Amino acid sequence: MTKILVATEKPFAKVAIDGIKEVAQGAGFEVALLEKYTDKKQLLDAVADAEAIIIRSDIVDAEVLDAAKKLRIVVRAGAGYDNVDLAAATAHGVCVMNTPGQNANAVAELALGMLVYAVRNFFNGTSGTELMGKKLGIHAFGNVGRNVARVARGFGMQIYAYDAFCPKEVIEQDGTVAVSSVEELYSTCDVVSLHIPATAETKNSINYALVGRMPKGGILLNTARKEVINEEELIRLMEERTDLKYITDIMPAANATFAEKFAGRYFATPKKMGAQTAEANINAGIAAARQIVDFINNGVEKFRVNK
Ligand code: 3PG
């Protein structure tokens, strides 16, 4: 029987697992679970007889692929697939997919929730500010960025976006202003919300010069990836600019330094929470299971991300 392994260090909600099982078992596949694992060895053992794996931010590298002798497909239940070694997967003849858009609303709701928390001074009893009328810059207008724009519009924010790959007409169709450069986005906006993937081009790209363009009281909001931040330069900038805040759902490598130096201007969730809702787990988990069944039974490669 074809075995699908759900390998999630950060588990899905139970309802999502029930949904994955229903789809997989309905197609005659078997489902195995490896949740909350603490050691890579557990993953290496669990993948040995799996033909398909569903993961979240779990690392699938060449060692995991070597250990997965029967593997045909890995589906990252979520958007970003920087945790999968795509070249190694291709070399092993393994198809890699993601499930774009399935957790976007969850991440967008968290982004606005974190923003309210920041402008209300982390609920410390002092007077904060409101979001209405403030300028929100969306850095990359993909599924999450678009959902952030939709939710922020409800707060009465003025929305701007920059996306090198998205046509201006698409950005502007529901009232978002498309700026012509990333520099303009940061110079214009009171808040910048990051939605870029972690790639060779974007890693360390959010740096002193760029964030330093933000107006007084600027807030940098990160629900994307920690790797896109040049942490050393952001620390230097926040030391000089005592008006800036950094709010993140992905704990920086230098969390202790940020926390110590920037009390009242810095917040990081202890674990990435953006996609951690029952609804997002159900959407992404079931989409992953369906994509696996379609790939194995019918050769459907929609959402494939490796060549
Ligand atoms: C994604 O890329 O889909 C998000 O960062 C969510 O990641 P997670 O599934 O590890 O919570």
Side-chain angles (χ1 to χ4, degrees), residues 222-271:
N222 188 1
T223 54
R225 288 292 180 271
K226 72 171 184 224
E227 290 81 3
V228 301
I229 304 286
N230 185 323
E231 294 186 10
E232 214 178 286
E233 292 195 15
L234 182 59
I235 289 168
R236 180 158 60 89
L237 179 67
M238 288 179 71
E239 282 169 343
E240 291 171 20
R241 289 271 310 266
T242 56
D243 58 301
L244 295 177
K245 284 184 178 154
Y246 180 45
I247 308 299
T248 180
D249 186 33
I250 312 95
M251 193 175 273
N255 174 57
T257 308
F258 276 98
E260 187 200 315
K261 288 184 183 266
F262 309 123
R265 298 196 283 136
Y266 168 73
F267 173 76
T269 50
K271 199 154 190 116

Side-chain angles (χ1 to χ4, degrees), residues 57-274:
S57 291
D58 307 80
I59 308 291
V60 172
D61 58 14
E63 195 185 357
V64 174
L65 292 158
D66 282 343
K69 300 279 182 245
K70 296 182 165 178
L71 193 62
R72 296 170 64 188
I73 177 167
V74 175
V75 181
R76 193 284 189 238
Y81 44 86
D82 46 300
N83 48 321
V84 182
D85 185 333
L86 297 187
T90 302
H92 283 77
V94 171
C95 172
V96 182
M97 296 186 189
N98 65 349
T99 64
Q102 300 291 350
N103 58 22
N105 181 65
V107 180
E109 287 190 12
L110 185 89
L112 268 293
M114 291 179 79
L115 193 49
V116 170
Y117 187 52
V119 297
R120 294 306 185 95
N121 301 330
F122 310 134
F123 306 155
N124 70 359
T126 63
S127 289
T129 56
E130 299 183 18
L131 296 177
M132 184 178 280
K134 302 295 186 310
K135 292 177 176 157
L136 170 66
I138 298 182
H139 189 166
F141 206 63
N143 288 304
V144 180
R146 289 167 208 207
N147 275 277
V148 168
R150 174 181 55 77
V151 180
R153 201 162 286 122
F155 280 87
M157 298 188 82
Q158 298 177 53
I159 325 247
Y160 295 76
Y162 175 75
D163 190 316
F165 305 99
C166 182
K168 186 174 158 66
E169 309 76 72
V170 173
I171 293 178
E172 299 209 320
Q173 67 196 1
D174 41 2
T176 296
V177 177
V179 296
S180 51
S181 70
V182 72
E183 289 78 15
E184 187 185 347
L185 189 78
Y186 284 73
S187 303
T188 306
C189 295
D190 304 298
V191 178
V192 172
S193 188
L194 295 171
H195 303 293
I196 46 178
T199 64
E201 291 73 37
T202 64
K203 282 180 185 168
N204 285 313
S205 67
I206 309 305
N207 57 21
Y208 182 95
L210 197 56
V211 184
R213 289 176 166 269
M214 291 189 75
K216 192 168 181 339
I219 300 175
L220 180 66
L221 176 62
N222 188 1
T223 54
R225 288 292 180 271
K226 72 171 184 224
E227 290 81 3
V228 301
I229 304 286
N230 185 323
E231 294 186 10
E232 214 178 286
E233 292 195 15
L234 182 59
I235 289 168
R236 180 158 60 89
L237 179 67
M238 288 179 71
E239 282 169 343
E240 291 171 20
R241 289 271 310 266
T242 56
D243 58 301
L244 295 177
K245 284 184 178 154
Y246 180 45
I247 308 299
T248 180
D249 186 33
I250 312 95
M251 193 175 273
N255 174 57
T257 308
F258 276 98
E260 187 200 315
K261 288 184 183 266
F262 309 123
R265 298 196 283 136
Y266 168 73
F267 173 76
T269 50
K271 199 154 190 116
K272 188 165 60 149
M273 292 300 295

